[in-house]
Amino acid sequence: INVILLGQTGVGKSSIVNLIAGQHIARVSPDTDVCTMSSTEYRFEMGAHDFRIWDTAGLEEPEVGVNGYLTAIAKALQLIRRLAAAGGVSLLLLCMQGEKVTGAARSNYRLFYEMLCGRCVPVGLVITHLEREDNMEKWWEKNEKTLDRYGVKSAGHACITGLPSYPEKYALSRAAIYGLLTDCDHSGKYTMPPHIWFRRVARNMKSLVMGGSLPKGEKLTQALITRCGLKEADAGELRRLLEEVDDGSSSAVTA
């Protein structure tokens, strides 16, 4: 069962991996290459389930500059191919810090659930940093309507702390995350067709871009190779798709 773990820097994704494992296996660090989609794979067995959790760096802000846009879409190609080779994705885990529903959380929801997965993959919400709450579940009761107002829908949730220094709440948190992972419907596997997916994402990610315009022609190809590390063939294909979107060709865009 392939699960994408997503959320901005500092929400506690690495702590969630360690919580699931019951031991320290993921490095907890604030230093993340923002606006990329590099990912780290972790494997867990839970009863009859074999989970592969892909800890993924998502978007940091509601809008990203053109450089972040190019890097994100290039790294996304690598992630999509890895997931396709692994059989597709069954569940998204969106992590957010238990203070407020940030613009970055909403952007990551749009990017992964709507754009990458075409609304075909269930989303579980993991609310972190709740160790100071008397009752961690109260956060959900207070914020469920706000999430609904923002259009963030979920198949389940877990209100947790990733800090072992709060042993009672840590144990409750581990039970909550186990329940979320095993109870969510992950019977299907969604494989994102790269060609169709690129067209859809290239169109939709335009709404997340600010602060500059894309290079044109061969300069765009070179930028994708040198700045984003794509192979020449991949860079040429992505350039063609981006230029089709810029031209507004309805036949080139598949929703």
Side-chain angles (χ1 to χ4, degrees):
I1 300 170
N2 290 310
V3 179
I4 298 179
L5 180 65
L6 60 128
Q8 67 193 107
T9 303
V11 297
K13 297 193 302 295
S14 296
S15 295
I16 290 171
V17 172
N18 294 332
L19 177 68
I20 296 169
Q23 58 182 310
H24 185 87
I25 63 170
R27 184 171 63 91
V28 180
S29 170
D31 300 323
T32 301
D33 182 12
V34 299
C35 293
T36 74
M37 286 189 189
S38 54
S39 59
T40 304
E41 178 189 357
Y42 300 95
R43 291 194 174 195
F44 305 95
E45 288 187 7
M46 298 182 192
H49 301 297
D50 180 13
F51 286 95
R52 301 173 75 176
I53 297 181
W54 306 77
D55 182 4
T56 302
L59 296 174
E60 293 300 308
E61 299 297 339
E63 295 88 15
V64 298
V66 62
N67 290 347
Y69 166 76
L70 286 177
T71 305
I73 206 169
K75 292 294 183 181
L77 171 61
Q78 299 170 16
L79 175 61
I80 296 310
R81 285 181 171 168
R82 290 182 72 187
L83 287 169
V89 60
S90 299
L91 179 67
L92 301 175
L93 283 186
L94 173 60
C95 308
M96 60 180 70
Q97 193 165 334
E99 293 179 352
K100 62 178 182 178
V101 183
T102 64
R106 301 198 303 273
S107 288
N108 276 299
Y109 178 85
R110 286 183 57 207
L111 178 62
F112 283 85
Y113 176 62
E114 298 178 3
M115 298 181 194
L116 268 69
C117 296
R119 305 175 189 264
C120 295
V121 178
V123 181
L125 299 182
V126 183
I127 317 304
T128 63
H129 295 268
L130 296 177
E131 55 275 351
R132 299 192 182 279
E133 297 286 335
D134 291 334
N135 182 342
M136 294 185 293
E137 186 64 21
K138 284 286 186 183
W139 187 96
W140 184 260
E141 297 175 11
K142 291 186 290 186
N143 292 276
E144 183 178 7
K145 290 183 179 179
T146 301
L147 289 165
D148 188 66
R149 187 167 66 249
Y150 284 134
V152 177
K153 309 292 184 183
S154 70
H157 71 274
C159 295
I160 70 164
T161 178
L163 298 180
S165 53
Y166 294 81
E168 184 176 343
K169 290 178 180 176
Y170 194 77
L172 290 172
S173 298
R174 195 167 189 218
I177 198 75
Y178 268 52
L180 176 60
L181 285 170
T182 56
D183 290 346
C184 276
D185 180 14
H186 33 60
S187 56
K189 286 187 181 295
Y190 178 69
T191 301
M192 292 146 273
H195 191 70
I196 295 174
W197 178 86
F198 262 136
R199 290 176 173 174
R200 185 175 67 222
V201 172
R203 180 194 65 187
N204 284 292
M205 279 193 72
K206 292 289 187 181
S207 66
L208 300 176
V209 179
M210 64 181 300
S213 58
L214 291 174
K216 300 293 183 181
E218 189 59 29
K219 289 183 178 180
L220 176 55
T221 303
Q222 290 304 313
L224 290 167
I225 294 172
T226 59
R227 190 185 303 158
C228 304
L230 286 186
K231 295 180 180 178
E232 185 174 356
D234 291 336
E237 174 67 5
L238 181 52
R239 166 191 163 186
R240 184 181 67 79
L241 292 171
L242 290 170
E243 288 176 342
E244 285 179 351
V245 173
D246 273 341
D247 291 340
S249 172
S250 60
S251 62
V253 178
T254 302

